[in-house]
């Protein structure tokens, strides 16, 4: 070694480094090339198993796919160094989503139908504040719950009955607004009708607190919704915002509460259904190219104290199904499953339709929980044994292999609601949402939004963004989005001819979407793709 | 109606309520009974698919199972109203775990082997502070990283080389301890060697920050471990704590760094391996009924800058495998996968053993990420295509159906490390850990602990608790725990005869565990089961 001087050592070192570099670039050697061939095959077969993988895109769709994938790749790459929006609570992450080019494309895309959404949480809560709470004859009181939530009532004169669970007497909204100033008062109303906050982790540190606030917001909205005074306005606005978000069809879950007149007269639930039908038909006339229709799923509250009511509500649902088969799709039980009232507690009631030969379809919420093998998530077993048409949420389904088998073999669609599950504490980082594996393995799924108004999301776009960005490969593009849209018709309660009509309406909008996306984003000589 | 007076109305109401109650109890009517029969069948078939479901417990095991399930049911029920320990970061949730009767039983249970653990993070860090850092000739400096972590070096005299990435000069630990007071100084050392903190959400708000602190702790431990001065003590203590935690066998992943003498002389990596072998053999002599042996998996750092080293390390692994087949199990690449250096970047190196006909087994880390379809989680594909024997973590595997198929058909065990994945931000609520679905579907899995010292957990018990409480049905008991223990031998790198010997050793301890559990917990006339 001593024969080498310092310079020679340097030369030797340089030679070594170059040698290593050359060696390291030799990745196209024989075994490596063979390996890479096998790897491509493997990857292809795996990707081939996912939702939409079998769709063949036409030339125009392929060009849109290129644009979409360029944007997705860029945003995923950013996610390695900056905040990836699906990984933070939507209540704080929403502005990040809205900067996304992927989101912009998804917003413009016709997304098919919403198959899991609750009646009161479709219309933008700020619109509710600005319009519904400005209607005359609206009273309110302050509830004694932890969040001092508000209860409302439309009434011709001060309501006679004492406010339930309120620590104040009834007061007129218009008078308090005048006294406190509309700016302050309307903000207060807005926060009362939603879970929106800048500090979700502090305000809702756990499932219990998030559900508490959520339920209070829903109670307030329910008060505002089921009144003859507000109902038409509320429903029309809900449908309008839906088509503005490029959604063509909806199956609304509703408690079908009676509508109340200002003088206290109440109409039967059937009247509420009739109003939905009337409004939907008028809306269809008004927007024949945008709106393919609406169906109703009636929902009982699953709380144990409601048990005596369930049988009557099931019977009502059977009647309504018979009388309004084109509009009344079926029956469900709703409310936080962790709180009790599992399906197995209502067997007499839920087996009754079968016993008497009714064709009432079920659309059960089931498995909206992180628990495993408890009375809560075993709802999934009862849902499929009771022959549910779809499953609402199904978040615990990956822990139930036998349920997964039934779901696949019978084509029972799982209604995924990503943002709802995040805000209500089932999952923090949406990349951990079970939708990822369900989509990878082509289970029957639809993406929905549950209660978008409660957290300030659009009727469907934000949830599609989450499913697309957090629950599919970086390399999966338009095939997934298109199939998700098609699935909403496929797994809907529509008849074959209704599906065909909805598909035609959607296809026309799809073609426009492709052209508009190309016009806005396609690579031109003056605008490189990096501008996405 | 007017013929009914107020009293009559009351009577009618009471009659209605009683009628409803009777009606509501009529759950054993014909259709309900038939349904419940079907439901039981369904549940039985689903449960029959899980890990351990096919084990038949003997009479004594059944009695222990009863005790275990009573405790589990009680703790799950508490979880509905109080904090369920697996749902909070282990750094704050550890004291909750340690109140659990289930945990007490799991601690006493012989758990088989640990198949995924890193050499430096087995021994209790407080022992490291109290023993290793009290050895003479230990120098330290303060690093310039965000957390001002410490670097260490055993040396006969002040180290000549300038401290790498340190903002201070080398100083003697003994002198600083004397100057600052041992109580303060030792606490400082402890926090430097671990991620332990009361406020994990504030200190480590995201994956990047938790990995940063984690890596710094590992660097400090590495400095303290790979010295002739400390190595024997360190390894022996690691094995001792392992058997104290009722673990019988271990496969240690190690970087096999050279051991350094106080005068700066360094031994080759083979010497390090030889020391492991010698210490393990001595330990086996000392604890013949508790310790079934140790094997070594050498691990290269996957960072791209290390690439030129990988080939040499693979070749070394091939040599060591040939020379020490009973002790040297195979090869792995380690470090945060999100940071780069995916397996596909090292194809020349990793295909080399196959090319030259070496039998070097791989034990790859793969899929320790929340990303999907990126260079990171596609490591899972390369792991199985490169014929890995097991998969470390595999957290993203539920997004890779083709990999899942290979894993099942080839019996490639997935090494689950629940607490590691929680502390390092892959998943917050451990009920969302992919282990739940893997266990429900009887995929080949073992439960392991990765770097228990870094977060202050026992070598294996805390992780078994998490898998048991967060990733199985409320009604799943001893069959799962027993199968998890048996799996650690089944999927180990031991030969058939070694497995037999380990099983015999384990079985003897298992029998003692059953007797002790019955003695401590079984229902007697003076102690009702509720005392659990």
């Amino acid at each position: 070694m001593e024969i080498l001087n310092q310079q020679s050592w340097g030369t030797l070192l340089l030679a070594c480094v170059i040698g290593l570099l050359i060696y390291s670039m030799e990745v196209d050697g024989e075994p490596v090339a063979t390996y890479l061939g096998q790897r491509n095959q493997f990857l292809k077969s795996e990707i081939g198993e996912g939702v939409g993988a079998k769709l063949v895109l036409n030339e125009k769709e392929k060009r849109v796919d290129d644009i979409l994938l360029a944007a997705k790749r860029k945003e995923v790459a950013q996610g390695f160094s900056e905040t990836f929006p699906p990984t933070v609570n939507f209540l704080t992450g929403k502005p990040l989503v809205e900067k996304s080019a992927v989101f912009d494309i998804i917003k413009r895309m016709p997304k098919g139908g919403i198959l899991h959404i609750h009646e009161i949480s479709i219309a933008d809560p700020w619109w509710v504040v600005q319009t519904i709470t400005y209607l005359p004859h609206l009273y309110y009181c302050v509830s004694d719950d932890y969040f001092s939530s508000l209860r409302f009532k439309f009434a011709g004169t001060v309501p006679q009955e004492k406010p339930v669970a309120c620590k104040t007497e009834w007061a007129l909204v218009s008078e308090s607004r005048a006294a406190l100033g509309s700016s302050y008062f309307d903000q207060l109303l807005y926060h009362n009708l939603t879970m929106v906050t800048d500090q979700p982790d502090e305000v809702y540190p756990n499932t219990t607190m998030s559900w508490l606030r959520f339920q209070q917001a829903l109670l307030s909205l329910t008060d505002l919704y089921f009144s003859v005074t507000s109902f038409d306005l509320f429903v029309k606005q809900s449908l309008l915002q839906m088509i503005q978000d490029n959604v063509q069809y909806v199956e609304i879950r509703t408690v079908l509460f009676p509508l109340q007149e200002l003088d206290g007269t109440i109409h039967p639930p059937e009247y509420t259904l009739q109003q939905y039908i009337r409004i939907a038909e008028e809306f269809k006339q008004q927007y024949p190219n945008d709106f393919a229709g609406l169906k109703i799923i009636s929902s009982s509250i699953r709380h144990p104290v409601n048990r005596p009511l369930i049988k009557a509500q099931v019977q009502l649902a059977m009647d309504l199904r018979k009388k309004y088969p084109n509009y009344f799709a079926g029956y469900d039980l709703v409310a936080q499953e962790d709180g009790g009232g599992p399906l197995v507690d209502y067997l007499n009631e839920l087996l009754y339709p079968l016993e008497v030969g009714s064709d009432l379809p079920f659309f059960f919420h089931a498995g909206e929980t992180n628990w495993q093998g408890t009375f809560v998530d075993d709802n999934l077993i009862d849902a499929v044994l009771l022959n549910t048409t779809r499953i609402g949420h199904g978040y615990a389904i990956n822990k139930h292999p036998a349920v997964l088998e039934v779901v696949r073999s019978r084509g029972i669609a799982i209604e995924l609601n990503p943002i709802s599950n995040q805000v209500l504490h089932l999952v923090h980082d949406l990349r951990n949402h079970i939708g990822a594996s369900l989509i990878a393995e082509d289970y029957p799924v639809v993406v929905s939004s549950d209660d978008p108004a409660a957290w300030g999301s659009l009727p469907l776009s934000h949830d599609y963004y989450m499913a697309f960005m957090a629950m599919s490969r970086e390399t999966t593009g338009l095939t997934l989005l298109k199939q998700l849209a098609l699935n909403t018709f496929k797994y809907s309660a529509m008849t074959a001819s209704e599906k065909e009509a909805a598909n035609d309406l959607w296809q026309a909008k799809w073609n426009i979407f492709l052209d508009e996306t190309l016009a806005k984003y396609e690579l031109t000589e003056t605008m490189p793709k990096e501008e996405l």
Side-chain angles (χ1 to χ4, degrees), chain A residues 141 151 153 158-170:
Chain A
C141 61
R151 293 287 83 81
K153 192 172 177 61
V158 186
Q160 291 303 299
E161 73 271 38
K162 235 190 103 60
V164 179
C166 264
K167 55 189 177 192
T168 67
E169 296 299 312
W170 291 112

Side-chain angles (χ1 to χ4, degrees), chain A residues 468-479:
Chain A
F468 183 67
M469 291 302 285
M471 305 181 201
S472 71
R473 289 183 62 85
E474 183 185 18
T475 52
T476 298
L478 199 62
T479 51

Side-chain angles (χ1 to χ4, degrees), chain A residues 110 118 203 216 294 317 342 364:
Chain A
H118 296 276
V203 182
Q216 291 298 330
L294 158 160
F364 289 128

Side-chain angles (χ1 to χ4, degrees), chain A residues 129-201:
Chain A
V129 171
Q130 292 296 305
T131 308
I132 299 294
T133 75
Y134 273 80
L135 294 173
H137 309 299
L138 181 58
Y139 291 85
Y140 78 101
C141 61
V142 181
S143 153
D144 57 7
D145 78 297
Y146 176 84
F147 291 102
S148 293
S149 307
L150 306 183
R151 293 287 83 81
F152 296 95
K153 192 172 177 61
F154 284 104
T157 55
V158 186
Q160 291 303 299
E161 73 271 38
K162 235 190 103 60
V164 179
C166 264
K167 55 189 177 192
T168 67
E169 296 299 312
W170 291 112
L172 266 174
V173 164
S174 55
E175 286 177 6
S176 294
R177 178 179 280 125
L180 295 166
S182 62
S183 165
Y184 167 80
F185 192 72
D186 289 354
Q187 277 295 333
L188 186 142
L189 292 182
Y190 178 79
H191 284 284
N192 180 68
L193 299 181
T194 69
M195 297 178 70
V196 172
T197 168
D198 290 341
Q199 303 186 295
D201 297 336

